[in-house]
Amino acid sequence: MNMEARVGVVLEGGQRALNSASSHGSIVDAGSRKFLQQHNNKQSQQHSQLGTVQQLLAGGIAGAFSKTCTAPLARLTILFQVQGMHSDVTALSKASIWQEASRVINEEGFRAFWKGNLVTIAHRLPYSSFLQPLLGVENHRENGTADLAVHFIGGGMAGITAASATYPLDLVRTRIAAQRNTMYYRGIWHAFHTICREEGFLGLYKGLGATLLGVGPSIAISFSVYESLRSFWHSKRPSDSTIMVSLACGSLSGIASSTATFPLDLVRRRMQLEGAGGRARVYTSGLFGTFAHIIHTEGFRGMYRGILPEYYKVVPSVGIVFMTYETLKMLLSRIPAS
């Protein structure tokens, strides 16, 4: 969920930066102003030529490409998150990111970094519908705070709907990515079939509560931190590139959102793995009971296992999504309408 909110923040912010920068004549020279005006004209033409389906397609492909590029860090995050779930915490070795990456290469092969990535892509493409409410925030800002709040709530509801509809794919992705040497799930369809047979249809929705609980905070933190940082930056350094400010603020807001909601993400991953591979359940007291169990057995730091690779993938994720999305919009705008 964090990534989707972060994508919306950066794309919306970058678009707004381009649209507003040319109005600040006192902080840009004539050449820069001309470039911004030309870019704005292109953006307006692209927006008018691109339909909703094309925009969703561009957002979905950009997100899928970004997740593919950062898949090794995403898998390392999952592997760290589930440490201590089925083993004695005191016996865990404090492996660094590099040590765990080396273990994956030596024991599973280099391609193992992309375990579950196909499911991630299948999950990301329908999730692109979540971007639309976020990308339209600026269009509603002129109508007042109330209209913005309505649109903000609409974005949250869209995120909850998308998360619920695509959640089985997220659970399957977690189970495939968490496998090490023993492959209990041999693929996407085998995983779906096995989970439904052994755990029932509702087994595909283990941990959904943690996901839905994190939707609102993730969006709120991403947008509020982004807006605060962007306003402060422009007040101190008004001549800085608006695009770079948007990317930097989007990355920092992503780090803030990840830090605040990471414990929910860790609990979600662990609940998704409950009963996987025929193993006995570890957490039997619900969402908040799982929080208490982890804190009691692993300490508060246990809630942040895997946070470092999560941090490391924020900046490249934001940059890749932003650049890919803008490139795809440009290419799609050149396709003549039928």
Side-chain angles (χ1 to χ4, degrees):
M1 182 62 221
N2 290 342
M3 183 58 203
E4 282 69 24
R6 193 178 309 136
V7 168
V9 168
V10 176
L11 294 184
E12 182 268 334
Q15 188 72 30
R16 174 155 40 82
L18 287 170
N19 292 336
S20 63
S22 60
S23 64
H24 296 82
S26 61
I27 63 173
V28 292
D29 57 24
S32 299
R33 195 180 308 118
K34 182 177 180 181
F35 167 77
L36 288 168
Q37 291 171 347
Q38 292 174 345
H39 197 98
N40 284 336
N41 292 335
K42 292 180 181 179
Q43 292 289 329
S44 300
Q45 293 173 1
Q46 290 176 11
H47 183 75
S48 62
Q49 294 174 11
L50 285 179
T52 301
V53 174
Q54 289 173 307
Q55 292 186 46
L56 292 177
L57 180 63
I61 293 176
F65 181 65
S66 172
K67 284 188 174 292
T68 299
C69 293
T70 59
L73 287 170
R75 182 162 187 243
L76 288 174
T77 297
I78 293 175
L79 291 175
F80 278 116
Q81 283 179 323
V82 301
Q83 284 182 354
M85 185 175 177
H86 292 285
S87 57
D88 185 4
V89 177
T90 59
L92 288 177
S93 59
K94 296 182 179 179
S96 65
I97 295 176
W98 176 249
Q99 288 173 327
E100 183 63 15
S102 300
R103 184 203 64 78
V104 171
I105 295 173
N106 293 331
E107 296 182 7
E108 306 175 49
F110 186 74
R111 291 178 58 187
F113 281 120
W114 282 267
K115 276 185 180 179
N117 187 61
L118 185 61
V119 194
T120 302
I121 294 174
H123 172 264
R124 185 62 187 83
L125 290 174
Y127 220 125
S128 61
S129 60
F130 171 66
L131 293 178
Q132 278 306 108
L134 296 179
L135 293 177
V137 168
E138 176 63 17
N139 297 331
H140 292 254
R141 183 170 307 223
E142 296 177 358
N143 297 330
T145 304
D147 202 20
L148 177 61
V150 170
H151 197 69
F152 200 56
I153 294 172
M157 295 303 296
I160 291 174
T161 302
S164 301
T166 60
Y167 190 79
L169 285 169
D170 185 59
L171 181 139
V172 168
R173 181 256 180 149
T174 298
R175 294 208 175 182
I176 292 177
Q179 296 181 128
R180 297 197 176 194
N181 298 327
T182 303
M183 298 295 291
Y184 190 81
Y185 304 108
R186 298 191 297 271
I188 300 175
W189 296 115
H190 180 260
F192 271 112
H193 177 73
T194 304
I195 293 170
C196 289
R197 186 185 71 243
E198 296 180 352
E199 305 168 50
F201 179 75
L202 292 180
L204 294 170
Y205 287 89
K206 289 179 177 179
L208 178 62
T211 297
L212 300 184
L213 193 61
V215 170
S218 180
I219 297 175
I221 293 170
S222 292
F223 272 96
S224 60
V225 173
Y226 174 84
E227 289 294 339
S228 299
L229 288 173
R230 189 183 66 85
S231 298
F232 178 77
W233 195 316
H234 279 309
S235 68
K236 298 296 183 181
R237 302 177 61 90
S239 60
D240 285 353
S241 167
T242 49
I243 296 297
M244 294 308 298
V245 170
S246 291
L247 291 174
C249 292
S251 298
L252 291 173
S253 69
I255 291 174
S257 177
S258 294
T259 302
T261 61
F262 193 80
L264 276 172
D265 188 63
L266 182 139
V267 168
R268 170 173 65 101
R269 296 294 185 199
R270 295 203 178 185
M271 295 185 77
Q272 285 177 335
L273 291 173
E274 282 282 79
R279 288 188 172 187
R281 293 188 61 183
V282 178
Y283 311 110
T284 58
S285 52
L287 175 60
F288 296 104
T290 302
F291 270 104
H293 184 279
I294 295 173
I295 293 174
H296 176 71
T297 57
E298 305 175 43
F300 185 75
R301 291 181 61 184
M303 302 300 299
Y304 283 89
R305 290 186 185 276
I307 190 67
L308 286 181
E310 179 72 14
Y311 283 159
Y312 293 157
K313 75 177 183 180
V314 167
V315 175
S317 293
V318 169
I320 293 169
V321 168
F322 186 83
M323 299 308 297
T324 306
Y325 182 76
E326 291 299 315
T327 301
L328 288 172
K329 280 206 308 180
M330 180 183 65
L331 294 176
L332 290 172
S333 67
R334 295 176 179 175
I335 300 177
S338 57

